Amino acid sequence: MALKTTIFAANLPKQVLYIMNTKIAVAKGDGIGPEIMEAVLRIFAANNVQLEYEFVEMGKSYFDAGHSTGMTAAAKDTIEKLGILFKGPMETPKGKGVKSINVTARKVWNTYANQRDFRTLNGVETVFSKAGIPINLTIIRENIEDTYGGIEHLLTYDVAVGRRIITRPGSEQVIRYAFEMARRKGYTKLACGHKANIMKLTDGLFLEVFQEVAKEYQDIESSDIIVDDLCMKLVTHPEKFQAIVLTNLQGDIVSDLCAGLVGGLGFAPSANIGDNISIFEAVHGTAPDIMGKGIANPTALLLSGILMLRYMGFTKNAATIENALLYTLEQGVHTGDFGDKAIPSSGTQAFADAIIANLGKVPADGGVIEKANLDTRANADHHILTKNKLTVTRGIEEEMVGVDVFVESNDLQPAELAELAKKRLTDNFDLVMISNRGTQVWPTGSIYTELVNEYRVRFEKKPGVAVTQKELLHIAADFSQDVKVCSVEFLMKFGGKIGYTLAQGQ
């Protein structure tokens, strides 16, 4: 079936534009954030980067001041007006029931593609650098959906559930971005990491979209790999991978794993790309234990800033600053968290001073040339929206075929629950299955399957019968006379294919 979802113009390669006097929003961050941001902006100024900065109020202190989103209304308006946010690390207060400011920012502004580039850096010693195995790979992580929706409920005191949301439009956005990114960086291979062998509908949808989009990129070798196998191969042969696209949670885990391969999160840049707003940030922690000591490593934030410069069209500045960083590392200059211990470490600002002194120099190994590796956009491309964008795949035949009723029972055995369910049947429905924690316990099962107090009871319509949503809800309402109903899910067919999974053992 051909995909009919919207293809967004911002996902397609653009001519590189050199933009002068461009204003961006800057959030210094918490903990060491202000120190490393100062270092990075000084390097930008020394290389005559033509940017203007509007500093915005975000982070822990704004949570503490009563802003539940971690930012002021003025900060939100500024970021939406300018379209670019450059931010330091931020802390979300613990135990206050508030959402992560980092996740909130990415989701609210639909920065659907998280790009993290991982490469071997001279002067940053790792197991692989010692073995002479170079690493140069990119992880593209879907940034909006998955379990990061944070939609969770306690169905009973003993049973918590979370909704894992994977959508066709969201998957296509990030996957198409990954293929375009691979082309720009000159990659010949792109892999899709997934767990579709277990999560057949959610990861299965992501993989299906990957395979559909891959048909449009015959110049790039596409493949898929189960995520646990991927992790094993990344820690044994990372040099075999060029680019990998994954769902949100799996991408989060795998990108941090890859950071460990090249020296840690202190060397991991991060770009969050959306059609209208993009965020460039350091993803390491706020390190409150060294705050104010002037010893923090600004490398990750600087590398993220370099990605931002390329994105905005400042490709000459980006290449010059990156080469200066690489040259500085090659000379053995380092902060206290890495490097040759025989060479005295530099503080944050001294490290920045060394990079500034080396502007214009190129490392003996691994120098970069002036080019873009992200979609480049000009301020003229940033649109102030007046309504939310809605993307829907249309023209698919839908059919209701039944209902799963999730119920609480603290003492009933499966056969006893089945007898209660049968009392609620009509001529249109059959009771087909009862499961507990996803494993079938009726009409067949094992006495050795341990139970909790939440069951899924499945009713399906009889062949040739048309049923309505009202009838399905009536079954749940009627069933509630005998047991506590916790939740209801309709069973659907789309294009003749079932849109639900069978129980384990069904």
Side-chain angles (χ1 to χ4, degrees):
M1 179 183 69
L3 293 176
K4 302 176 185 176
T5 44
T6 301
I7 299 172
F8 297 97
N11 292 334
L12 303 177
K14 302 180 180 71
Q15 180 183 1
V16 174
L17 301 173
Y18 289 87
I19 306 160
M20 310 304 286
N21 299 316
T22 300
K23 181 180 284 189
I24 65 171
V26 176
K28 295 180 180 180
D30 301 316
I32 61 172
E35 302 164 58
I36 60 176
M37 184 63 75
E38 178 188 352
V40 170
L41 296 185
R42 283 204 306 113
I43 294 169
F44 283 6
N47 193 233
N48 197 32
V49 175
Q50 297 296 299
L51 281 177
E52 296 179 35
Y53 309 118
E54 188 160 340
F55 292 92
V56 295
E57 299 173 322
M58 298 176 66
K60 182 179 183 297
S61 61
Y62 300 99
F63 278 118
D64 294 341
H67 298 282
S68 62
T69 60
M71 72 180 86
T72 64
K76 179 176 179 291
D77 290 343
T78 295
I79 294 163
E80 292 182 353
K81 176 182 70 177
L82 298 177
I84 297 285
L85 172 62
F86 187 34
K87 64 183 284 290
M90 291 183 181
E91 178 183 347
T92 300
K94 297 179 177 64
K96 295 188 177 182
V98 295
K99 298 282 190 178
S100 162
I101 178 63
N102 304 300
V103 175
T104 296
R106 297 168 198 159
K107 289 170 63 63
V108 165
W109 292 314
N110 205 60
T111 61
Y112 53 80
N114 175 236
Q115 175 173 333
R116 296 193 195 178
D117 297 330
F118 303 98
R119 62 180 295 188
T120 300
L121 298 172
N122 293 330
V124 182
E125 192 173 81
T126 68
V127 171
F128 296 99
S129 66
K130 289 179 181 179
I133 299 173
I135 296 173
N136 184 8
L137 63 91
T138 298
I139 301 296
I140 300 294
R141 163 192 172 191
E142 195 286 318
N143 226 12
I144 307 299
E145 305 180 344
D146 203 349
T147 53
Y148 282 70
I151 305 171
E152 299 179 305
H153 297 87
L154 278 170
L155 295 190
T156 76
Y157 183 76
D158 292 338
V159 180
V161 298
R163 283 180 177 263
R164 183 170 191 254
I165 298 175
I166 304 293
T167 72
R168 194 176 300 276
S171 298
E172 185 179 358
Q173 275 185 318
V174 69
I175 289 166
R176 190 172 297 281
Y177 176 87
F179 274 103
E180 291 292 339
M181 178 280 306
R183 274 184 175 170
R184 284 189 302 278
K185 290 173 75 74
Y187 288 158
T188 59
K189 297 188 293 184
L190 174 65
C192 175
H194 64 87
K195 194 65 177 173
N197 58 322
I198 301 298
M199 291 175 283
K200 297 182 183 297
L201 294 185
T202 50
D203 270 37
L205 175 58
F206 191 81
L207 177 58
E208 176 188 333
V209 174
F210 176 82
Q211 292 168 339
E212 287 285 344
V213 174
K215 296 174 184 177
E216 303 175 33
Y217 295 86
Q218 295 296 317
D219 53 317
I220 298 173
E221 178 187 337
S222 63
S223 62
D224 70 275
I225 181 169
I226 295 173
V227 68
D228 39 330
D229 186 28
L230 170 64
C231 291
M232 181 188 69
K233 287 183 168 60
L234 280 170
V235 299
T236 54
H237 296 288
E239 74 281 4
K240 293 186 177 181
F241 294 92
Q242 294 181 353
I244 308 164
V245 62
L246 303 105
T247 56
N248 201 338
L249 178 59
Q250 295 167 14
D252 190 7
I253 295 168
V254 170
S255 59
D256 276 18
L257 181 154
C258 290
L261 302 179
V262 298
L265 289 174
F267 304 96
S270 180
N272 303 284
I273 305 301
D275 288 337
N276 296 286
I277 298 171
S278 295
I279 304 168
F280 299 83
E281 62 182 342
V283 293
H284 56 67
T286 58
D289 55 321
I290 62 170
M291 178 180 64
K293 296 182 179 180
I295 60 175
N297 180 359
T299 303
L301 187 61
L302 179 58
L303 288 169
S304 300
I306 290 167
L307 289 180
M308 179 181 70
L309 294 179
R310 287 199 175 96
Y311 179 75
M312 299 182 71
F314 294 104
T315 53
K316 185 174 182 179
N317 292 113
T320 300
I321 294 171
E322 186 168 1
N323 280 326
L325 168 65
L326 296 174
Y327 181 89
T328 301
L329 294 172
E330 195 173 68
Q331 300 307 302
V333 180
H334 63 95
T335 50
D337 57 321
F338 75 101
D340 187 347
K341 299 305 179 184
I343 301 174
S345 62
S346 299
T348 307
Q349 302 308 324
F351 186 75
D353 289 338
I355 295 171
I356 290 170
N358 290 326
L359 289 168
K361 297 179 181 178
V362 178
D365 184 31
V368 298
I369 61 174
E370 180 189 342
K371 66 177 182 178
N373 70 355
L374 282 165
D375 284 335
T376 301
R377 60 162 278 266
N379 260 9
D381 293 328
H382 176 57
H383 302 291
I384 305 299
L385 302 180
T386 58
K387 61 180 181 179
N388 296 96
K389 181 185 291 183
L390 174 64
T391 306
V392 181
T393 301
R394 302 188 185 277
I396 304 299
E397 180 186 357
E398 299 182 5
E399 180 187 8
M400 288 185 174
V401 295
V403 63
D404 278 344
V405 183
F406 296 82
V407 303
E408 178 179 350
S409 176
N410 295 313
D411 47 25
L412 293 175
Q413 286 289 302
E416 295 172 311
L417 182 61
E419 290 306 311
L420 290 179
K422 288 177 183 177
K423 289 168 51 180
R424 305 305 169 187
L425 290 176
T426 69
D427 292 338
N428 289 345
F429 295 94
D430 289 318
L431 174 67
V432 297
M433 179 272 294
I434 299 175
S435 70
N436 194 285
R437 289 190 287 182
T439 300
Q440 179 173 277
V441 293
W442 184 92
T444 60
S446 170
I447 200 69
Y448 293 98
T449 301
E450 294 190 9
L451 308 176
V452 295
N453 65 346
E454 186 264 339
Y455 291 87
R456 172 177 50 161
V457 182
R458 175 165 291 176
F459 299 88
E460 290 184 6
K461 75 180 186 69
K462 294 180 178 179
V465 174
V467 296
T468 65
Q469 186 177 24
K470 185 176 180 179
E471 287 180 90
L472 298 177
L473 289 172
H474 180 73
I475 287 179
D478 205 23
F479 201 8
S480 69
Q481 297 178 48
D482 296 315
V483 291
K484 176 186 172 184
V485 173
C486 304
S487 181
V488 175
E489 290 285 353
F490 295 134
L491 306 180
M492 301 291 297
K493 282 187 176 181
F494 297 95
K497 296 181 180 179
I498 62 170
Y500 51 92
T501 56
L502 301 181
Q504 202 73 30
Q506 186 179 1

